[in-house]
Amino acid sequence: MCRPARADKRRIAVNFSRAAKTYDYAAVLQDRVAARAMLGLPADWLPDCVLDLGSGTGSQTTLLAEHYPQATVLGMDLAIGMASHARSSYPELNWCSGDIEHLPFKSNALDVVFSSLAIQWCDLSRVLEEVYDVLKPGGVFVFSTLAAGTMHELKQAWSSVDRHVHVNTFDAFSTQKHCVQQSGFQLHSFKLQTETVFYLTAMQLLRDMKALGVNTVPSRQNGLMSRQRIFKFQQAYEMFRTDKGLPLSYEVIYGILRKPQR
Ligand SMILES: C[S@@+](CC[C@H](N)C(=O)[O-])C[C@H]1O[C@@H](n2cnc3c(N)ncnc32)[C@H](O)[C@@H]1O
C-alpha cells in the first residue's frame, strides 16, 4: 500500500491562492517540467475532453488547449485563488476548483488527464483510482510529480538552523512505481529525472519559494525569524554553491499511463 502524503489541504490551498499573482514569474523550473511532461501527450489522436489537474495559474492549461485545439479543455485546482486567476487570464477555457482526491466528474468521461507538479501533495493510490475512474477506456494520464530527495539542499541547510520541518517529504521513486504497478493502468513510461534550478543568493531562493506558494518558513516563525537564524541558514546553503549559483534540486517523476480498452 502507498503511504498517504501528509498534507494539510487547507494550508496548501491558502498558500497557493496567495501566490496566484506572483507564481508565473518564479515558475522557471515548473515551466520546464511541464514542457517535458507534455512531450508524453499522445500525438496520434484527437481527444474530445482534456483535464489539467492542479492547473495553478492556467499557463500550462492554455498550452494543452493549443496542443489539442479541437478539444474541450478544463483546468481544476484546489486553490480558489488560482482557479479564479486562471479564469480571468484565460476566459476562453473552462475552470473549476476541486480536489484531485475527489474528482467531480462522471466515470469514463475524459480522454486525457494531464497534471504537472500537483499530485505530490496527494495520496498517489487515491489519485490513480480517481483518474482511472474518470478516464474513458484507452484514455491517457500524463503527469509529473516529485520523489524523495527533492530540495535536499534546502532541507540540509535548514537542519543546521533548527529542527522544524521546512520541506515536504515525498515518497521514494520505487514506492511510487510500485503504487502505479498496482493501479490497473498500463504503464507506458515512468522515469525519474533530476531537475535543478540555480539562485544567486539563499534569500532569492526563499523569496521565489514564497512567490510559488511553497512556503518553507513555517508561518508561526515568519515574524520571529531572527536575523541570526536567517544568517545561519544562508551560511549553511553556501556550502552547496557552484559556478552556476546555489542549486535547488527536484527529483521529478514523469509518467505516462493508459487505461486499458475494455
Ligand atoms: C506547483 S503548482 C503547479 C501548477 C501548474 N500545474 C504548473 O505546472 O504550473 C501546484 C498546484 O496544485 C494545486 N493542488 C495541490 N493539491 C491539490 C489537490 N489536492 N487538488 C487540486 N489541486 C491541488 C495547488 O493549488 C497548485 O495550484
Side-chain angles (χ1 to χ4, degrees):
M1 218 180 92
C2 303
R3 183 179 62 81
R6 308 271 174 249
D8 172 354
K9 289 195 181 160
R10 217 173 136 259
R11 180 180 51 78
I12 290 171
V14 166
N15 283 346
F16 277 109
S17 284
R18 277 196 197 127
K21 289 197 178 115
T22 51
Y23 180 90
D24 280 341
Y25 95 85
V28 176
L29 180 126
Q30 287 69 13
D31 287 350
R32 196 196 307 163
V33 168
R36 224 184 272 270
M38 278 187 202
L39 296 176
L41 290 170
D44 53 348
W45 57 311
L46 301 176
D48 293 327
C49 284
V50 177
L51 171 66
D52 184 10
L53 290 179
S55 46
T57 58
S59 53
Q60 313 306 338
T61 325
T62 190
L63 295 179
L64 283 176
E66 282 171 23
H67 196 86
Y68 294 124
Q70 79 296 337
T72 300
V73 177
L74 173 70
M76 190 196 88
D77 203 281
L78 184 71
I80 290 172
M82 280 291 195
S84 51
H85 184 84
R87 186 175 294 115
S88 60
S89 305
Y90 310 104
E92 69 283 10
L93 299 182
N94 306 285
W95 305 101
C96 69
S97 58
D99 182 354
I100 297 169
E101 292 183 348
H102 303 277
L103 290 181
F105 306 105
K106 287 186 186 154
S107 301
N108 305 316
L110 305 167
D111 299 288
V112 175
V113 175
F114 177 81
S115 183
S116 191
L117 295 182
I119 62 171
Q120 62 273 9
W121 291 293
C122 301
D123 175 349
L124 181 58
S125 55
R126 173 88 198 170
V127 173
L128 294 170
E129 272 172 36
E130 289 288 298
V131 174
Y132 190 97
D133 180 57
V134 299
L135 276 175
K136 293 176 187 168
V140 177
F141 183 27
V142 177
F143 62 93
S144 67
T145 186
L146 298 175
T150 293
M151 299 188 190
H152 70 90
E153 304 92 342
L154 190 59
K155 203 172 190 171
Q156 205 173 314
W158 275 125
S159 72
S160 67
V161 179
D162 59 36
R163 291 183 177 191
H164 291 287
V165 178
H166 294 267
V167 179
N168 285 331
T169 53
F170 304 104
D171 281 337
F173 174 73
S174 56
T175 309
Q176 299 195 47
K177 186 163 187 181
H178 179 72
C179 200
V180 166
Q181 284 165 336
Q182 306 289 307
S183 67
F185 275 104
Q186 291 167 349
L187 200 161
H188 277 238
S189 173
F190 197 75
K191 290 182 190 152
L192 184 68
Q193 187 159 338
T194 304
E195 307 276 1
T196 308
V197 62
F198 292 92
Y199 293 91
L200 282 177
T201 66
M203 289 313 288
Q204 186 198 9
L205 183 152
L206 288 184
R207 271 195 298 271
D208 270 21
M209 288 285 104
K210 197 169 177 198
L212 289 166
V214 183
N215 201 352
T216 57
V217 181
S219 52
R220 63 180 177 282
Q221 288 193 349
N222 271 336
L224 304 174
M225 182 63 75
S226 68
R227 279 186 194 175
Q228 214 179 7
R229 287 151 70 88
I230 287 283
F231 182 65
K232 214 170 159 190
F233 168 77
Q234 287 173 298
Q235 267 189 326
Y237 215 111
E238 282 302 320
M239 285 178 5
F240 296 103
R241 188 172 283 284
T242 70
D243 292 348
K244 292 181 182 170
L246 295 177
L248 182 62
S249 318
Y250 292 69
E251 297 301 322
V252 184
I253 296 174
Y254 294 95
I256 308 171
L257 312 178
R258 189 179 287 270
K259 179 170 172 176
Q261 296 281 0
R262 269 193 276 256

